[in-house]
Amino acid sequence: MQVPNATAGGTSSSLFTIVASGIQAGSGSSVTRTYRVAMEGLNTIYKRLSASGAKILSVSPAGENTPTAPATTSSAPAPKAVTTTPASAPAPKKPHANVPVNTYKPKTPFMGTVTENYALVHEGGIGRVQHITFDLSGGDPQLEYVEGQSIGIIPEGEDAKGKPHKLRLYSIASTRHGDDLKDNTVSLCVRQLEYKNDAGDQIYGVCSTFLCDIEPGSKVKITGPVGKEMLLPEDEDANIIMLATGTGIAPMRTYLRRMFEPRERDANGWTFRGKAWLFMGAPKTPNLLYDADFEHYEREFPDNFRYTKAISREQQNAKGGRMYIQDRVLEHADEIFSMIENPKTHVYMCGLRGMEPGIDEAMSAAAAAKGLDWSELRPQLKKADRWHVETY
């Protein structure tokens, strides 16, 4: 059964206002923030604030007067005065320092249960891509993850040498709360690998075929989570440019659900206010994965989300050739670089490794048109944690 398209509703009528104080990432300054959260999201926001080192100053039903001074609850200690002396200021935490990594390792994997497995490629499309969900309930410790991470899957069976198959990594396609927002599932977007060897025989990928064929109720060995390269910034005003082909859409789906699903926004206490722009590449329209959801977000949030498609076998570029994602980058070069000039802009690229040279060529040409050297600019963006790439 396919997950229904995103809806604009679904907000709980029981809302609470949380006031918390913590250290602002990168500055060492103490800041007080207010979060508006649905009842079912209270536990999640408590965990996130606690993990970040923030102190919860007050919790009250939305609609009541929100305290304006930090010292409003007897259980919370009075905040320390902020000093301007650099030597006495606490060292800022590294970005994403509290992100879970390798909770489960290959020798001691978590046994997840498949709850759903449905096709993502529509009739007339090329290849086979499945959306697969696993139940993570009962883990000790619980397997938790955040948007942009990956998990490992160890397929059943043995290789040609009689040894157990090695794990394969897959980008997570669900937010930390899972597709059903119950905090106990994880989803993957898996394409069945198929190719012909030198002898002309049709070969199918071991793990991808195992996953694409798996039935609900089956047990699967899961490791991880791993990865910090593709994590979103915490800044609600950040701008996010996404470049994806094929199943590289998986992390982008997690970002967009976090940004624009109303129940996700309530659960996270994180309201995205920046600009998000997705460039999606596919061979044919039926291969545009999660397309209906993204079109829905674009209709509901026209000021915050833009969706640009490159359909190689159906569209032509300016030279009359096939339309690839790098052609779309060239078309919108001025706008893209105007966004990149803003220090709040991050670029994320995910998909087959073969997409990188084309994107680099397009960015080089676009940068040159503005008198910039892309070979110098890209390392600067990478060093500033604003250029994120995960290809395979």
Side-chain angles (χ1 to χ4, degrees):
M1 181 180 69
Q2 186 165 351
V3 175
N5 290 342
T7 58
T11 303
S12 170
S13 58
S14 299
L15 295 175
F16 291 81
T17 299
I18 298 176
V19 179
S21 176
I23 300 299
Q24 186 174 13
S27 68
S29 300
S30 179
V31 295
T32 300
R33 288 187 175 177
T34 301
Y35 304 85
R36 190 177 175 90
V37 186
M39 179 181 290
E40 59 265 28
L42 285 175
N43 187 49
T44 299
I45 192 69
Y46 287 163
K47 288 182 180 179
R48 184 164 73 85
L49 291 172
S50 176
S52 69
K55 295 183 182 297
I56 297 176
L57 306 179
S58 68
V59 180
S60 59
E64 293 186 2
N65 292 331
T66 302
T68 56
T72 54
T73 59
S74 58
S75 60
K80 297 180 180 179
V82 177
T83 176
T84 58
T85 305
S88 60
K93 291 183 178 180
K94 293 183 178 180
H96 314 302
N98 297 305
V99 170
V101 176
N102 286 324
T103 305
Y104 286 90
K105 298 181 180 180
K107 291 185 178 180
T108 54
F110 175 78
M111 296 301 295
T113 303
V114 178
T115 62
E116 195 169 38
N117 182 0
Y118 64 82
L120 290 174
V121 176
H122 297 283
E123 185 176 354
I126 301 170
R128 184 183 182 199
V129 182
Q130 300 291 119
H131 184 89
I132 309 161
T133 301
F134 307 90
D135 186 353
L136 302 178
S137 300
D140 185 16
Q142 177 71 19
L143 199 165
E144 297 180 337
Y145 60 91
V146 300
E147 298 77 17
Q149 289 193 290
S150 301
I151 57 171
I153 300 293
I154 303 175
E156 291 295 331
E158 299 177 338
D159 61 21
K161 297 181 179 180
K163 296 183 178 180
H165 289 300
K166 295 181 179 180
L167 70 85
R168 272 72 163 181
L169 288 176
Y170 292 92
S171 299
I172 294 172
S174 55
T175 70
R176 66 191 72 185
H177 303 299
D179 287 344
D180 60 3
L181 280 89
K182 292 184 179 179
D183 297 305
N184 61 2
T185 65
V186 64
S187 297
L188 300 178
C189 169
V190 179
R191 180 181 72 87
Q192 183 182 30
L193 174 64
E194 55 178 308
Y195 62 94
K196 290 186 182 293
N197 62 15
D198 294 339
D201 300 322
Q202 188 73 16
I203 305 297
Y204 295 94
V206 172
C207 194
S208 63
T209 300
F210 166 75
L211 288 174
C212 287
D213 288 342
I214 204 162
E215 296 288 340
S218 301
K219 298 291 185 179
V220 178
K221 296 175 183 177
I222 301 175
T223 68
V226 298
K228 294 187 178 183
E229 171 64 26
M230 296 290 286
L231 305 186
L232 279 177
E234 286 295 325
D235 187 356
E236 295 174 334
D237 296 308
N239 300 313
I240 308 298
I241 298 174
M242 295 160 278
L243 310 170
T245 59
T247 55
I249 197 63
M252 315 310 178
R253 179 184 188 253
T254 74
Y255 308 154
L256 293 171
R257 286 179 68 85
R258 179 170 168 81
M259 292 172 187
F260 301 123
E261 280 289 343
R263 291 175 62 199
E264 284 281 353
R265 290 157 73 101
D266 291 339
N268 290 306
W270 190 79
T271 303
F272 181 72
R273 296 185 294 267
K275 304 287 186 183
W277 194 352
L278 171 63
F279 290 83
M280 176 61 182
K284 302 175 71 173
T285 295
N287 288 92
L288 289 167
L289 310 178
Y290 310 110
D291 182 56
D293 284 348
F294 302 153
E295 289 190 338
H296 174 82
Y297 297 147
E298 190 173 38
R299 290 192 300 270
E300 293 296 313
F301 299 89
D303 295 332
N304 301 96
F305 179 50
R306 189 170 174 182
Y307 181 27
T308 301
K309 309 172 189 180
I311 308 174
S312 62
R313 302 194 184 188
E314 299 175 9
Q315 299 172 334
Q316 289 187 331
N317 59 27
K319 297 179 180 179
R322 288 185 173 184
M323 176 65 75
Y324 293 107
I325 194 169
Q326 57 264 33
D327 299 309
R328 291 299 190 198
V329 171
L330 275 175
E331 284 183 359
H332 301 283
D334 286 344
E335 292 174 277
I336 291 172
F337 269 86
S338 292
M339 292 180 67
I340 288 177
E341 287 173 340
N342 183 337
K344 287 180 174 287
T345 297
H346 293 247
V347 181
Y348 294 81
M349 177 165 57
C350 189
L352 293 174
R353 186 169 288 112
M355 72 185 289
E356 289 189 69
I359 295 295
D360 254 350
E361 184 179 349
M363 296 295 275
S364 296
K370 295 180 71 70
L372 301 172
D373 187 338
W374 177 243
S375 65
E376 295 179 358
L377 180 58
R378 186 180 64 173
Q380 294 173 12
L381 293 174
K382 177 69 175 176
K383 185 175 181 180
D385 197 31
R386 295 174 52 205
W387 180 259
H388 312 264
V389 177
E390 185 175 85
T391 56
Y392 40 84

